[in-house]
Amino acid sequence: MDMMDIIRGRRSVRAFRPEPPSRAQLEQIIEAAGWAPSPHGRQPWRFVVITRAELKDRLAESMGAEWRAQLALDGQDDATIALRHRKSQERIAGAPAIIVPCLYLEDLDVYPDEGRQAAETTMAIQSLGCAIQNMLLAAYAQGLDTGWMCAPLFCPDAVRAALDLAPTMRPQALIPVGHAAKDPVRRPRRPLDALVVKWE
């Protein structure tokens, strides 16, 4: 498949068929992440791969409890909270496999000033985004579909507790992997002339 066809073809899927990806496919997705650019070549990311139903359920339950509280803080009514909570749990539990990208900052350069240290962390976050994009494209190239759920950013402690992760692991996303149960509705993309603000 042509690279631009892969980039244009990739889509964000919320519902999956039950058949799981193979271990070899999941390993290839993780390997693709490992080739992403990173600050000083340190690869400041680690990944958790979840295929066991009971662990997906535990993760969904742990995250869901905190999310319900956050929705209540936003002033949403009980019926809306219950519906959104149920759909979120179904999305996590119904995915054949889930990859949890975690930011890992222990190997980064250390600076004596706050500004450069913050820039170092930003570089690590940017590189994790590159690693995730590699994963999404590698999955699609293998005939698989994915999503990108950012919920762990809002409840990292709940994710760490559910997965028994060390404090050095900073969960950043959930990437469900499988075969789409239906074609998702795709949002339009901005044209090139709307993206480029200066070209000299």
Side-chain angles (χ1 to χ4, degrees):
M1 212 185 306
D2 177 77
M3 178 54 74
M4 287 305 295
D5 289 338
I6 294 172
I7 291 171
R8 293 189 188 105
R10 183 213 63 80
R11 64 264 180 93
S12 296
V13 169
R14 291 175 174 265
F16 296 88
R17 302 199 305 264
E19 61 266 28
S22 69
R23 183 180 179 105
Q25 287 175 313
L26 292 170
E27 287 176 348
Q28 190 168 339
I29 291 169
I30 301 296
E31 182 183 358
W35 286 99
S38 64
H40 324 295
R42 299 293 170 79
Q43 301 176 34
W45 0 268
R46 300 294 185 269
F47 304 94
V48 179
V49 182
I50 306 169
T51 58
R52 289 192 297 118
E54 60 270 23
L55 192 52
K56 286 184 280 185
D57 289 341
R58 188 166 77 203
L59 177 61
E61 187 61 36
S62 181
M63 292 176 61
E66 189 157 339
W67 196 44
R68 288 179 72 99
Q70 291 173 3
L71 291 174
L73 286 174
D74 293 341
Q76 298 198 22
D77 61 84
D78 290 345
T80 300
I81 291 172
L83 177 63
R84 294 186 68 183
H85 178 252
R86 179 178 56 78
K87 286 185 174 181
S88 176
Q89 288 197 305
E90 289 172 354
R91 190 174 174 194
I92 295 170
I98 292 177
I99 300 172
V100 183
C102 297
L103 194 63
Y104 182 76
L105 303 178
E106 299 306 293
D107 296 333
L108 293 184
D109 287 359
V110 177
Y111 297 100
D113 57 291
E114 186 176 318
R116 283 187 295 169
Q117 200 62 55
E120 187 83 357
T121 299
T122 299
M123 285 194 296
I125 295 168
Q126 290 174 343
S127 77
L128 178 60
C130 293
I132 291 173
Q133 177 73 337
N134 277 11
M135 292 166 57
L136 302 180
L137 296 177
Y140 188 74
Q142 296 182 81
L144 297 168
D145 291 295
T146 56
W148 186 337
M149 301 174 68
C150 295
L153 289 172
F154 298 91
C155 55
D157 292 337
V159 176
R160 269 193 296 265
L163 302 179
D164 194 26
L165 297 178
T168 52
M169 298 295 166
R170 302 183 184 194
Q172 302 289 296
L174 301 180
I175 310 296
V177 184
H179 300 275
K182 61 180 180 179
D183 285 334
V185 176
R186 305 194 71 172
R187 296 180 181 179
R189 300 293 170 161
R190 297 181 191 275
L192 189 62
D193 60 1
L195 298 176
V196 179
V197 295
K198 184 177 285 189
W199 194 320
E200 297 180 355

